[in-house]
Amino acid sequence: KAGVTQTPRYLIKTRGQQVTLSCSPISGHRSVSWYQQTPGQGLQFLFEYFSETQRNKGNFPGRFSGRQFSNSRSEMNVSTLELGDSALYLCASSLDRGYGGYTFGSGTRLTVV
Amino acid sequence: KQEVTQIPAALSVPEGENLVLNCSFTDSAIYNLQWFRQDPGKGLTSLLLIQSSQREQTSGRLNASLDKSSGRSTLYIAASQPGDSATYLCAPVLEEAEKLVFGKGTKLTVNP
Protein backbone atom coordinates (compact mmCIF):
# COMPACT_ATOMS: atom_id res chain seq x y z
CA LYS A 1 0.00 0.00 0.00
CA ALA A 2 1.12 3.56 -0.59
CA GLY A 3 2.81 5.27 2.32
CA VAL A 4 2.42 8.76 3.69
CA THR A 5 3.16 11.36 1.03
CA GLN A 6 4.45 14.80 1.89
CA THR A 7 4.90 17.60 -0.60
CA PRO A 8 7.00 19.45 -1.37
CA ARG A 9 10.22 17.77 -0.22
CA TYR A 10 12.19 20.99 -0.03
CA LEU A 11 11.25 24.64 0.31
CA ILE A 12 13.20 27.86 0.58
CA LYS A 13 11.27 30.89 1.78
CA THR A 14 12.07 34.42 2.85
CA ARG A 15 11.33 35.81 6.29
CA GLY A 16 7.82 37.21 6.49
CA GLN A 17 6.40 34.96 3.81
CA GLN A 18 3.94 32.19 4.43
CA VAL A 19 4.10 28.54 3.44
CA THR A 20 1.72 25.61 3.04
CA LEU A 21 2.80 22.00 3.38
CA SER A 22 0.73 19.02 2.34
CA CYS A 23 0.34 15.50 3.68
CA SER A 24 -1.60 12.59 2.21
CA PRO A 25 -2.07 9.77 4.75
CA ILE A 26 -2.22 6.05 4.15
CA SER A 27 -5.55 5.06 2.67
CA GLY A 28 -8.01 4.36 5.47
CA HIS A 29 -6.09 6.33 8.08
CA ARG A 30 -8.17 9.15 9.52
CA SER A 31 -5.69 10.65 11.96
CA VAL A 32 -2.93 12.96 10.75
CA SER A 33 -0.33 14.49 13.05
CA TRP A 34 2.37 17.06 12.35
CA TYR A 35 5.78 17.32 13.99
CA GLN A 36 8.63 19.80 13.76
CA GLN A 37 12.20 18.54 14.01
CA THR A 38 15.14 20.85 14.70
CA PRO A 39 18.67 20.02 15.89
CA GLY A 40 18.14 21.94 19.10
CA GLN A 41 14.62 20.94 20.14
CA GLY A 42 14.33 17.51 18.56
CA LEU A 43 10.90 16.29 17.52
CA GLN A 44 8.04 18.40 18.77
CA PHE A 45 4.31 17.83 18.31
CA LEU A 46 2.44 20.53 16.39
CA PHE A 47 -1.14 19.27 16.09
CA GLU A 48 -3.33 16.29 15.29
CA TYR A 49 -6.43 16.07 13.15
CA PHE A 50 -9.08 13.40 13.05
CA SER A 51 -12.14 13.52 10.78
CA GLU A 52 -11.46 17.16 9.89
CA THR A 53 -11.29 18.22 13.57
CA GLN A 54 -8.22 19.34 15.46
CA ARG A 55 -8.11 17.14 18.56
CA ASN A 56 -4.80 18.11 20.03
CA LYS A 57 -2.38 20.99 19.71
CA GLY A 58 1.21 21.45 20.80
CA ASN A 59 2.85 24.52 22.25
CA PHE A 60 3.43 26.54 19.11
CA PRO A 61 2.41 30.11 18.27
CA GLY A 62 -0.74 30.85 16.34
CA ARG A 63 1.32 31.38 13.18
CA PHE A 64 1.21 27.60 12.86
CA SER A 65 -2.13 26.30 11.71
CA GLY A 66 -3.53 23.31 9.93
CA ARG A 67 -6.59 21.70 8.52
CA GLN A 68 -7.82 18.35 7.33
CA PHE A 69 -10.04 17.64 4.38
CA SER A 70 -12.82 15.10 4.00
CA ASN A 71 -10.45 12.69 2.24
CA SER A 72 -8.13 12.88 5.31
CA ARG A 73 -5.44 14.81 3.47
CA SER A 74 -4.00 17.53 5.65
CA GLU A 75 -2.22 20.81 5.19
CA MET A 76 -0.26 22.92 7.60
CA ASN A 77 0.37 26.60 7.16
CA VAL A 78 3.00 28.81 8.69
CA SER A 79 2.50 32.54 8.33
CA THR A 80 5.01 35.34 8.81
CA LEU A 81 7.97 33.00 8.62
CA GLU A 82 10.89 33.47 10.99
CA LEU A 83 14.44 32.14 10.67
CA GLY A 84 13.72 29.80 13.59
CA ASP A 85 11.01 28.06 11.60
CA SER A 86 13.68 26.38 9.50
CA ALA A 87 13.18 22.70 10.23
CA LEU A 88 12.16 19.30 8.94
CA TYR A 89 8.36 19.05 9.12
CA LEU A 90 7.07 15.52 9.45
CA CYS A 91 3.59 14.20 9.02
CA ALA A 92 2.34 10.94 10.53
CA SER A 93 -0.84 9.02 9.94
CA SER A 94 -2.63 6.39 11.99
CA LEU A 95 -6.01 4.71 12.12
CA ASP A 96 -6.93 6.49 15.34
CA ARG A 97 -5.06 7.37 18.55
CA GLY A 98 -2.03 5.50 17.34
CA TYR A 99 -3.95 2.25 16.99
CA GLY A 100 -1.72 0.09 14.83
CA GLY A 101 1.07 2.60 15.21
CA TYR A 102 2.06 5.75 13.37
CA THR A 103 3.54 5.87 9.88
CA PHE A 104 5.64 8.87 8.95
CA GLY A 105 6.24 10.55 5.64
CA SER A 106 9.67 11.59 4.36
CA GLY A 107 9.15 15.13 5.52
CA THR A 108 9.41 18.63 4.08
CA ARG A 109 12.68 20.47 4.64
CA LEU A 110 11.87 24.14 5.09
CA THR A 111 14.65 26.72 4.99
CA VAL A 112 13.85 30.32 5.87
CA VAL A 113 16.38 32.91 4.68
CA LYS B 1 4.16 16.34 31.24
CA GLN B 2 5.62 13.23 29.66
CA GLU B 3 9.41 13.27 29.45
CA VAL B 4 11.37 10.65 27.54
CA THR B 5 15.03 9.92 28.12
CA GLN B 6 17.18 7.72 25.92
CA ILE B 7 20.51 6.30 27.02
CA PRO B 8 23.12 6.31 25.66
CA ALA B 9 22.94 9.42 23.49
CA ALA B 10 25.50 7.93 21.12
CA LEU B 11 27.00 4.50 20.66
CA SER B 12 29.78 3.23 18.40
CA VAL B 13 30.31 -0.51 18.09
CA PRO B 14 32.11 -2.95 15.78
CA GLU B 15 30.05 -5.02 13.41
CA GLY B 16 28.55 -8.19 14.87
CA GLU B 17 28.02 -6.94 18.41
CA ASN B 18 24.74 -7.31 20.25
CA LEU B 19 23.56 -4.08 21.78
CA VAL B 20 20.90 -2.57 23.99
CA LEU B 21 19.28 0.84 23.72
CA ASN B 22 17.38 2.17 26.70
CA CYS B 23 14.33 4.40 26.93
CA SER B 24 12.62 5.70 30.05
CA PHE B 25 9.46 7.78 30.38
CA THR B 26 7.92 9.59 33.31
CA ASP B 27 4.19 9.01 32.77
CA SER B 28 3.28 5.31 32.76
CA ALA B 29 -0.28 5.94 31.54
CA ILE B 30 0.58 5.09 27.97
CA TYR B 31 -1.51 3.61 25.19
CA ASN B 32 1.44 2.03 23.39
CA LEU B 33 5.11 2.67 22.59
CA GLN B 34 6.81 2.75 19.23
CA TRP B 35 10.46 2.48 18.24
CA PHE B 36 11.67 4.27 15.12
CA ARG B 37 14.91 4.69 13.24
CA GLN B 38 15.87 7.82 11.37
CA ASP B 39 18.59 8.15 8.78
CA PRO B 40 20.15 11.61 8.34
CA GLY B 41 17.73 14.07 6.74
CA LYS B 42 15.06 11.42 6.32
CA GLY B 43 11.70 10.64 7.85
CA LEU B 44 11.07 8.10 10.60
CA THR B 45 10.83 4.40 9.87
CA SER B 46 8.78 2.36 12.31
CA LEU B 47 10.62 -0.63 13.78
CA LEU B 48 8.38 -2.05 16.47
CA LEU B 49 5.08 -1.19 18.14
CA ILE B 50 4.35 -2.48 21.63
CA GLN B 51 0.85 -2.21 23.03
CA SER B 52 0.61 -1.30 26.72
CA SER B 53 -0.68 -4.81 27.50
CA GLN B 54 2.34 -6.47 25.88
CA ARG B 55 5.74 -7.18 27.36
CA GLU B 56 7.74 -7.48 24.18
CA GLN B 57 7.77 -7.54 20.39
CA THR B 58 10.21 -9.09 17.97
CA SER B 59 11.03 -8.41 14.35
CA GLY B 60 14.02 -10.14 12.83
CA ARG B 61 17.15 -9.13 14.74
CA LEU B 62 15.22 -6.59 16.80
CA ASN B 63 13.50 -7.19 20.10
CA ALA B 64 11.77 -4.53 22.17
CA SER B 65 10.52 -4.93 25.70
CA LEU B 66 8.18 -2.75 27.71
CA ASP B 67 7.82 -2.39 31.47
CA LYS B 68 4.98 0.06 31.68
CA SER B 69 4.82 0.25 35.46
CA SER B 70 8.46 1.26 35.79
CA GLY B 71 8.38 3.49 32.71
CA ARG B 72 11.04 1.65 30.72
CA SER B 73 11.52 0.16 27.30
CA THR B 74 14.55 -1.54 25.80
CA LEU B 75 15.49 -2.16 22.19
CA TYR B 76 17.83 -5.08 21.66
CA ILE B 77 19.68 -5.36 18.34
CA ALA B 78 21.38 -8.67 17.64
CA ALA B 79 24.42 -9.14 15.41
CA SER B 80 24.65 -5.47 14.44
CA GLN B 81 25.49 -4.49 10.86
CA PRO B 82 26.79 -1.25 9.29
CA GLY B 83 23.32 -0.75 7.77
CA ASP B 84 21.96 -0.43 11.29
CA SER B 85 23.76 2.89 11.66
CA ALA B 86 21.06 5.50 12.31
CA THR B 87 19.40 7.41 15.12
CA TYR B 88 16.94 5.33 17.13
CA LEU B 89 13.97 6.99 18.75
CA CYS B 90 11.43 5.69 21.20
CA ALA B 91 8.04 7.35 21.57
CA PRO B 92 5.25 6.47 23.98
CA VAL B 93 1.69 7.54 23.24
CA LEU B 94 -0.14 8.95 26.24
CA GLU B 95 -3.61 7.58 26.98
CA GLU B 96 -4.93 11.09 27.35
CA ALA B 97 -3.53 12.50 24.13
CA GLU B 98 -3.27 11.44 20.54
CA LYS B 99 0.40 12.17 20.08
CA LEU B 100 3.86 10.67 20.26
CA VAL B 101 6.35 12.09 22.73
CA PHE B 102 9.94 11.65 21.60
CA GLY B 103 13.25 11.38 23.35
CA LYS B 104 16.42 12.85 21.87
CA GLY B 105 17.34 9.47 20.44
CA THR B 106 20.41 7.27 20.42
CA LYS B 107 22.80 7.76 17.51
CA LEU B 108 24.22 4.37 16.60
CA THR B 109 27.31 3.82 14.47
CA VAL B 110 28.24 0.28 13.51
CA ASN B 111 31.79 0.06 12.16
CA PRO B 112 32.73 -2.56 9.55
Side-chain angles (χ1 to χ4, degrees), chain B residues 4 11-12 23 25 34 37 41 55 58 60 65 81-82 85 87 93 99 103 105-106 109 112:
Chain B
V4 179
L11 185 61
S12 182
C23 170
F25 45 94
Q34 204 163 352
R37 70 171 278 169
R55 297 287 293 184
T58 298
S65 66
Q81 303 170 357
S85 298
T87 296
V93 178
K99 66 178 182 180
T106 294
T109 303

mmCIF file of all heavy atoms in Angstrom, chain B residues 4 11-12 23 25 34 37 41 55 58 60 65 81-82 85 87 93 99 103 105-106 109 112:
data_model
loop_
_atom_site.group_PDB
_atom_site.id
_atom_site.type_symbol
_atom_site.label_atom_id
_atom_site.label_comp_id
_atom_site.label_asym_id
_atom_site.label_seq_id
_atom_site.Cartn_x
_atom_site.Cartn_y
_atom_site.Cartn_z
ATOM 1 N N VAL B 4 10.758 11.887 28.019
ATOM 2 C CA VAL B 4 11.368 10.653 27.540
ATOM 3 C C VAL B 4 12.877 10.829 27.495
ATOM 4 O O VAL B 4 13.373 11.814 26.939
ATOM 5 C CB VAL B 4 10.832 10.292 26.138
ATOM 6 C CG1 VAL B 4 11.483 9.015 25.632
ATOM 7 C CG2 VAL B 4 9.320 10.141 26.169
ATOM 8 N N LEU B 11 26.400 5.813 20.453
ATOM 9 C CA LEU B 11 27.003 4.501 20.657
ATOM 10 C C LEU B 11 27.732 4.103 19.385
ATOM 11 O O LEU B 11 27.176 4.186 18.288
ATOM 12 C CB LEU B 11 25.903 3.482 20.967
ATOM 13 C CG LEU B 11 26.274 2.052 21.327
ATOM 14 C CD1 LEU B 11 27.111 2.024 22.587
ATOM 15 C CD2 LEU B 11 24.998 1.229 21.504
ATOM 16 N N SER B 12 28.991 3.677 19.531
ATOM 17 C CA SER B 12 29.781 3.228 18.396
ATOM 18 C C SER B 12 30.286 1.829 18.702
ATOM 19 O O SER B 12 30.941 1.619 19.721
ATOM 20 C CB SER B 12 30.952 4.185 18.148
ATOM 21 O OG SER B 12 31.691 3.775 17.025
ATOM 22 N N CYS B 23 15.287 3.291 26.993
ATOM 23 C CA CYS B 23 14.327 4.396 26.929
ATOM 24 C C CYS B 23 13.550 4.415 28.235
ATOM 25 O O CYS B 23 13.063 3.367 28.681
ATOM 26 C CB CYS B 23 13.385 4.187 25.744
ATOM 27 S SG CYS B 23 11.955 5.292 25.679
ATOM 28 N N PHE B 25 10.478 6.733 30.500
ATOM 29 C CA PHE B 25 9.464 7.776 30.379
ATOM 30 C C PHE B 25 8.811 7.988 31.740
ATOM 31 O O PHE B 25 8.735 7.067 32.568
ATOM 32 C CB PHE B 25 8.421 7.424 29.311
ATOM 33 C CG PHE B 25 7.913 6.013 29.356
ATOM 34 C CD1 PHE B 25 6.755 5.698 30.045
ATOM 35 C CD2 PHE B 25 8.600 4.999 28.695
ATOM 36 C CE1 PHE B 25 6.288 4.391 30.077
ATOM 37 C CE2 PHE B 25 8.132 3.692 28.721
ATOM 38 C CZ PHE B 25 6.985 3.387 29.416
ATOM 39 N N GLN B 34 6.283 3.086 20.544
ATOM 40 C CA GLN B 34 6.807 2.747 19.227
ATOM 41 C C GLN B 34 8.286 3.087 19.152
ATOM 42 O O GLN B 34 8.723 4.132 19.666
ATOM 43 C CB GLN B 34 6.016 3.516 18.151
ATOM 44 C CG GLN B 34 6.016 2.901 16.785
ATOM 45 C CD GLN B 34 4.904 3.477 15.900
ATOM 46 O OE1 GLN B 34 4.040 4.228 16.340
ATOM 47 N NE2 GLN B 34 4.940 3.116 14.625
ATOM 48 N N ARG B 37 13.548 4.318 13.621
ATOM 49 C CA ARG B 37 14.909 4.690 13.239
ATOM 50 C C ARG B 37 14.818 5.841 12.252
ATOM 51 O O ARG B 37 13.841 5.967 11.487
ATOM 52 C CB ARG B 37 15.702 3.530 12.649
ATOM 53 C CG ARG B 37 15.259 3.054 11.287
ATOM 54 C CD ARG B 37 16.236 2.047 10.703
ATOM 55 N NE ARG B 37 17.383 2.704 10.075
ATOM 56 C CZ ARG B 37 18.481 2.062 9.672
ATOM 57 N NH1 ARG B 37 18.596 0.757 9.850
ATOM 58 N NH2 ARG B 37 19.468 2.713 9.090
ATOM 59 N N GLY B 41 18.549 13.294 7.664
ATOM 60 C CA GLY B 41 17.734 14.066 6.737
ATOM 61 C C GLY B 41 16.490 13.368 6.233
ATOM 62 O O GLY B 41 15.799 13.891 5.356
ATOM 63 N N ARG B 55 4.447 -7.291 26.693
ATOM 64 C CA ARG B 55 5.737 -7.179 27.361
ATOM 65 C C ARG B 55 6.869 -7.021 26.361
ATOM 66 O O ARG B 55 7.887 -6.404 26.677
ATOM 67 C CB ARG B 55 5.980 -8.423 28.209
ATOM 68 C CG ARG B 55 5.006 -8.624 29.322
ATOM 69 C CD ARG B 55 5.220 -7.663 30.441
ATOM 70 N NE ARG B 55 6.495 -7.881 31.134
ATOM 71 C CZ ARG B 55 6.864 -7.187 32.209
ATOM 72 N NH1 ARG B 55 6.083 -6.252 32.690
ATOM 73 N NH2 ARG B 55 8.024 -7.437 32.786
ATOM 74 N N THR B 58 8.999 -8.695 18.699
ATOM 75 C CA THR B 58 10.214 -9.089 17.972
ATOM 76 C C THR B 58 9.994 -8.934 16.484
ATOM 77 O O THR B 58 8.902 -9.223 15.972
ATOM 78 C CB THR B 58 10.585 -10.547 18.295
ATOM 79 O OG1 THR B 58 10.869 -10.648 19.693
ATOM 80 C CG2 THR B 58 11.808 -10.980 17.502
ATOM 81 N N GLY B 60 12.682 -9.818 13.323
ATOM 82 C CA GLY B 60 14.024 -10.144 12.832
ATOM 83 C C GLY B 60 15.061 -10.093 13.935
ATOM 84 O O GLY B 60 14.938 -10.767 14.951
ATOM 85 N N SER B 65 11.281 -4.566 24.510
ATOM 86 C CA SER B 65 10.518 -4.925 25.701
ATOM 87 C C SER B 65 9.913 -3.668 26.301
ATOM 88 O O SER B 65 10.396 -2.562 26.072
ATOM 89 C CB SER B 65 11.422 -5.618 26.721
ATOM 90 O OG SER B 65 12.401 -4.713 27.201
ATOM 91 N N GLN B 81 24.898 -4.638 12.184
ATOM 92 C CA GLN B 81 25.490 -4.490 10.856
ATOM 93 C C GLN B 81 25.679 -3.014 10.549
ATOM 94 O O GLN B 81 24.979 -2.168 11.114
ATOM 95 C CB GLN B 81 24.559 -5.106 9.810
ATOM 96 C CG GLN B 81 24.225 -6.566 10.046
ATOM 97 C CD GLN B 81 23.131 -7.063 9.131
ATOM 98 O OE1 GLN B 81 22.557 -6.310 8.339
ATOM 99 N NE2 GLN B 81 22.820 -8.350 9.231
ATOM 100 N N PRO B 82 26.605 -2.674 9.640
ATOM 101 C CA PRO B 82 26.792 -1.252 9.292
ATOM 102 C C PRO B 82 25.500 -0.569 8.846
ATOM 103 O O PRO B 82 25.294 0.619 9.110
ATOM 104 C CB PRO B 82 27.831 -1.310 8.162
ATOM 105 C CG PRO B 82 28.625 -2.541 8.460
ATOM 106 C CD PRO B 82 27.629 -3.532 9.010
ATOM 107 N N SER B 85 23.343 1.554 11.238
ATOM 108 C CA SER B 85 23.762 2.893 11.658
ATOM 109 C C SER B 85 22.648 3.897 11.362
ATOM 110 O O SER B 85 22.215 4.039 10.218
ATOM 111 C CB SER B 85 25.050 3.306 10.937
ATOM 112 O OG SER B 85 26.113 2.433 11.269
ATOM 113 N N THR B 87 19.854 6.955 13.805
ATOM 114 C CA THR B 87 19.396 7.409 15.121
ATOM 115 C C THR B 87 18.124 6.651 15.467
ATOM 116 O O THR B 87 17.215 6.553 14.638
ATOM 117 C CB THR B 87 19.134 8.924 15.125
ATOM 118 O OG1 THR B 87 20.358 9.616 14.894
ATOM 119 C CG2 THR B 87 18.554 9.366 16.463
ATOM 120 N N VAL B 93 2.910 6.790 23.535
ATOM 121 C CA VAL B 93 1.692 7.542 23.244
ATOM 122 C C VAL B 93 0.872 7.594 24.530
ATOM 123 O O VAL B 93 0.506 6.569 25.083
ATOM 124 C CB VAL B 93 0.857 6.879 22.130
ATOM 125 C CG1 VAL B 93 -0.424 7.668 21.883
ATOM 126 C CG2 VAL B 93 1.669 6.783 20.856
ATOM 127 N N LYS B 99 -0.855 11.700 20.610
ATOM 128 C CA LYS B 99 0.402 12.170 20.076
ATOM 129 C C LYS B 99 1.541 11.328 20.618
ATOM 130 O O LYS B 99 1.458 10.712 21.679
ATOM 131 C CB LYS B 99 0.644 13.630 20.468
ATOM 132 C CG LYS B 99 0.831 13.853 21.964
ATOM 133 C CD LYS B 99 1.116 15.311 22.259
ATOM 134 C CE LYS B 99 1.360 15.528 23.742
ATOM 135 N NZ LYS B 99 1.634 16.944 24.077
ATOM 136 N N GLY B 103 11.993 11.083 22.692
ATOM 137 C CA GLY B 103 13.248 11.382 23.347
ATOM 138 C C GLY B 103 14.201 11.992 22.332
ATOM 139 O O GLY B 103 13.844 12.195 21.169
ATOM 140 N N GLY B 105 16.832 10.535 21.302
ATOM 141 C CA GLY B 105 17.335 9.470 20.444
ATOM 142 C C GLY B 105 18.722 8.981 20.835
ATOM 143 O O GLY B 105 19.443 9.616 21.606
ATOM 144 N N THR B 106 19.058 7.827 20.302
ATOM 145 C CA THR B 106 20.411 7.267 20.423
ATOM 146 C C THR B 106 21.001 7.160 19.029
ATOM 147 O O THR B 106 20.417 6.495 18.153
ATOM 148 C CB THR B 106 20.384 5.870 21.076
ATOM 149 O OG1 THR B 106 19.957 5.970 22.419
ATOM 150 C CG2 THR B 106 21.765 5.221 21.012
ATOM 151 N N THR B 109 26.362 4.022 15.578
ATOM 152 C CA THR B 109 27.307 3.821 14.474
ATOM 153 C C THR B 109 27.868 2.417 14.589
ATOM 154 O O THR B 109 28.414 2.044 15.634
ATOM 155 C CB THR B 109 28.464 4.840 14.524
ATOM 156 O OG1 THR B 109 27.939 6.160 14.494
ATOM 157 C CG2 THR B 109 29.398 4.642 13.333
ATOM 158 N N PRO B 112 32.420 -1.296 10.232
ATOM 159 C CA PRO B 112 32.735 -2.563 9.545
ATOM 160 C C PRO B 112 34.021 -3.187 10.086
ATOM 161 O O PRO B 112 34.909 -2.481 10.582
ATOM 162 C CB PRO B 112 32.920 -2.156 8.072
ATOM 163 C CG PRO B 112 32.354 -0.797 7.962
ATOM 164 C CD PRO B 112 32.419 -0.160 9.327
#
